Amino acid sequence: MKFDFKLATVAAGFLGYVFAQSAERKIAIIGAGAAGSAAAYFLNQLATEAGVNVNVTLFEKTNHIGGRSITINAFDDPAQPFEQGASIFVPINYVLYESMNAFGLTPRDPDVGSDPVMGIWDGNSFVFTINENHPEWWTNLKILLRYGPTAPQKAKDLVTATIGRFLQMYTPQFFPFESLTERAEQLNLTAVTGVTGQHFLAANGVGTLYANELIQSLARVNYASNLPNMHGLCAMGSVAAQGAIAVQGGNWQIFDEMAQRSDAHIQLDTAVTAIDKDSSGTKFEIQTTSGSTPGTPSTYPTSFDNVIIANPFQFSGISVGEDVFSTTLETIDYVQLHVTIFTSTKKFKPSFFNLPSWISAPGAVLTTLAKTDTPTSGPDGVGKPGFWSLTTLGKATNPQTNQQENVYKIFSPEAVTPSFLSDLLGGTVPSTFTGGSSPISWYKATVFHSYPKTSPRTTFQDPIVGEGVYYTSGIEAFLSTMETSALMGKNVARLIVDDILAAGSGSGSKMVKSRESDSERDSQGVWWEKQSVLN
């Protein structure tokens, strides 16, 4: 008999209310990015539905909610925001898409205002270009003539099948999960993460030229890596951008709304420095510092029953007591991505791309390896192009001239130099980048630890890392997106509420075990259901 998850939730919620309505579960969430904000939001939502009492405190060391999802204001004008990273999501990103609609946020087409011509450059020449203003039949013909009749369709089918498997993680049969490794094995996704993107595509009949040019250029702009250096699931995720949208004013607003609607005690500019058990050994004490120039850490006045660490632990600077973790938190090698955004009245100089002066350069430039490159050529494998991507985001009005200028964004493994920009724009860019006769009127450069280097692997950090302690960033080595981080936040929220209900009813982990066994029985039905959604 199929396990009725909704009925079980109602029944368990009633039991939780009867046995534990007076007990308050105090929960600390460290980090208000996608995962932490989602955890707070869904803890409030799920606890309310189940009739249990949670008291959540959300700690964020910066003054910004949304983590790596952040906008930057051209000319420092809040009326002219542009995405600094995490630019898009798609309708099958259910947590983000449904939250955007629930919060009444306005979606926008991320391509509006951008340049319609996209080229794939290998450091020598453009191997392929697409103009979105051209008829679709013309674009399809160009793809057919360069890549043949089978590679594009095989790649599309492979993406559909792989993402279909991943989407089962949202269904009652497979959600929530206590072990990401076990869930990936059950869905046969370790067969995808265990090999390189290059191997996965080749093994499924996707032509080498199509993989090395079109798919690899998308992998590089999404994960700053080449197909031989990343696992197959990230490669497939790079291509799955059909129907891409963004939120008007910035995607970070989804997470800000989550945090504000969670009823959590939001502590901005508050860095957690230490976690330890209290004298009773049953609750957690947290040390914090506050402000831009923090002083000596102090003990936060509340002790907590649960702690959710919702940021990469290796960058947190948090010390932990010896009884906090029951497992070692893996240190993952993250990509260091330089994001450079600037404005200029100039367009890209054709000669920079070895084009004759009468041919305009594409306004969106993705890159791939040159024939003489290897997957490790240049810093972090960027190869002869020297950068991962160069895109035109749109237009912004210069307040000094009241003229519209182009807004450009560069992803690169190293800091962009004035010499590089001088060659790109055809004018002299000074060491200050702006000022004087510089072709650049406004400039902003930032460095992110943007996402893990996703080499092939079949095991992942599980979300439960100690008794009462949860960790969300393990999912980033599996698939690093705003959506998957939010999904893991929702997952740990569900695990905690289930734990509260089980404790109140005295049923231990029986509810979780029942759900696990049911997922094995119903996996095939969910697979076909999700395939129909994707098609």
Side-chain angles (χ1 to χ4, degrees):
M1 181 178 70
K2 186 174 181 180
F3 184 80
D4 192 329
F5 183 72
K6 290 184 178 179
L7 181 60
T9 300
V10 172
F14 175 74
L15 289 171
Y17 181 77
V18 170
F19 288 101
Q21 58 178 317
S22 61
E24 181 181 67
R25 183 76 68 100
K26 293 183 172 64
I27 303 164
I29 302 175
I30 303 171
S37 299
Y41 175 69
F42 287 108
L43 271 169
N44 177 266
Q45 185 181 84
L46 295 170
T48 299
E49 292 173 357
V52 297
N53 192 2
V54 297
N55 186 327
V56 178
T57 303
L58 180 60
F59 296 95
E60 171 54 45
K61 64 182 179 181
T62 73
N63 63 358
H64 162 72
I65 293 174
R68 287 163 286 178
S69 177
I70 188 171
T71 57
I72 190 168
N73 300 322
F75 300 104
D76 302 317
D77 178 3
Q80 302 189 87
F82 292 87
E83 295 289 353
Q84 196 166 25
S87 300
I88 61 172
F89 57 99
V90 293
I92 58 171
N93 292 157
Y94 298 128
V95 177
L96 299 186
Y97 191 77
E98 291 173 5
S99 296
M100 177 190 70
N101 290 330
F103 301 154
L105 299 173
T106 303
R108 67 174 180 87
D109 182 348
D111 292 330
V112 171
S114 62
D115 195 284
V117 182
M118 184 277 289
I120 300 173
W121 193 54
D122 68 359
N124 297 309
S125 62
F126 284 101
V127 297
F128 191 71
T129 59
I130 294 176
N131 189 330
E132 293 184 356
N133 290 337
H134 287 166
E136 185 176 358
W137 66 266
W138 176 247
T139 299
N140 290 338
L141 179 60
K142 288 185 67 175
I143 293 174
L144 176 68
L145 291 175
R146 178 147 184 94
Y147 301 114
T150 61
Q153 187 59 49
K154 286 186 175 181
K156 180 180 179 181
D157 292 343
L158 186 60
V159 171
T160 299
T162 304
I163 299 302
R165 272 187 264 173
F166 166 75
L167 288 177
Q168 292 180 76
M169 295 179 70
Y170 292 76
T171 64
Q173 292 83 353
F174 293 101
F175 181 88
F177 46 90
E178 294 181 342
S179 170
L180 179 57
T181 299
E182 289 182 7
R183 189 63 82 236
E185 289 174 349
Q186 290 170 347
L187 296 174
N188 199 29
L189 287 170
T190 50
V192 187
T193 63
V195 297
T196 68
Q198 182 183 53
H199 175 88
F200 186 63
L201 289 162
N204 286 276
V206 178
T208 301
L209 191 64
Y210 189 79
N212 290 347
E213 291 183 358
L214 203 147
I215 296 180
Q216 182 157 265
S217 67
L218 293 170
R220 284 162 65 96
V221 71
N222 279 289
Y223 289 108
S225 185
N226 298 304
L227 290 175
N229 301 332
M230 66 194 309
H231 64 61
L233 186 58
C234 283
M236 295 297 94
S238 298
V239 186
Q242 186 174 2
I245 57 174
V247 174
Q248 186 71 42
N251 295 326
W252 62 270
Q253 295 171 100
I254 294 176
F255 309 116
D256 188 69
E257 286 285 346
M258 284 180 168
Q260 302 301 333
R261 293 169 185 249
S262 70
D263 287 337
H265 306 285
I266 301 174
Q267 304 295 321
L268 298 180
D269 288 317
T270 305
V272 173
T273 61
I275 308 169
D276 206 348
K277 292 288 185 69
D278 67 2
S279 57
S280 71
T282 60
K283 293 183 182 294
F284 298 95
E285 287 186 343
I286 286 178
Q287 297 281 319
T288 65
T289 59
S290 299
S292 57
T293 55
T296 303
S298 60
T299 301
Y300 194 75
T302 300
S303 295
F304 298 97
D305 301 286
N306 294 104
V307 173
I308 301 172
I309 301 171
N311 52 17
F313 184 72
Q314 67 201 67
F315 302 129
S316 68
I318 298 173
S319 64
V320 297
E322 61 180 12
D323 295 329
V324 172
F325 295 149
S326 59
T327 185
T328 301
L329 269 62
E330 179 184 5
T331 298
I332 298 175
D333 193 11
Y334 271 69
V335 170
Q336 183 171 278
L337 186 71
H338 290 258
V339 180
T340 306
I341 301 179
F342 61 96
T343 61
S344 178
T345 58
K346 289 184 174 291
K347 293 189 175 182
F348 306 144
K349 191 175 181 180
S351 61
F352 180 90
F353 300 103
N354 300 322
L355 294 171
S357 60
W358 63 85
I359 296 180
S360 297
V365 181
L366 307 186
T367 63
T368 191
L369 295 173
K371 291 181 180 179
T372 55
D373 285 329
T374 69
T376 57
S377 292
D380 290 334
V382 74
K384 190 170 183 179
F387 59 92
W388 303 113
S389 64
L390 168 58
T391 54
T392 305
L393 299 181
K395 300 280 188 179
T397 300
N398 186 329
Q400 293 183 344
T401 65
N402 288 322
Q403 299 297 312
Q404 285 201 320
E405 299 186 6
N406 300 308
V407 182
Y408 297 119
K409 177 163 69 174
I410 302 175
F411 288 164
S412 60
E414 295 184 314
V416 172
T417 65
S419 175
F420 172 91
L421 293 171
S422 296
D423 292 341
L424 177 67
L425 299 174
T428 301
V429 176
S431 59
T432 56
F433 294 98
T434 61
S437 60
S438 176
I440 295 176
S441 53
W442 177 84
Y443 174 91
K444 181 72 173 180
T446 310
V447 182
F448 288 104
H449 288 107
S450 49
Y451 22 70
K453 296 180 180 180
T454 53
S455 55
R457 56 184 297 164
T458 56
T459 59
F460 304 92
Q461 184 84 60
D462 291 331
I464 302 175
V465 295
E467 186 175 354
V469 185
Y470 299 80
Y471 184 55
T472 64
S473 293
I475 202 167
E476 293 205 48
F478 178 71
L479 188 60
S480 180
T481 64
M482 292 186 290
E483 173 69 10
T484 47
S485 292
L487 175 64
M488 183 59 92
K490 183 177 182 179
N491 182 67
V492 298
R494 177 77 266 175
L495 291 175
I496 289 173
V497 171
D498 282 355
D499 180 65
I500 297 171
L501 293 173
S505 64
S507 62
S509 60
K510 292 180 181 178
M511 179 162 42
V512 173
K513 295 298 183 183
S514 176
R515 180 169 50 242
E516 294 279 353
S517 62
D518 188 69
S519 68
E520 297 173 4
R521 291 194 296 270
D522 292 332
S523 61
Q524 192 64 31
V526 176
W527 163 245
W528 288 111
E529 177 186 347
K530 285 302 174 186
Q531 280 289 82
S532 64
V533 169
L534 284 170
N535 291 331

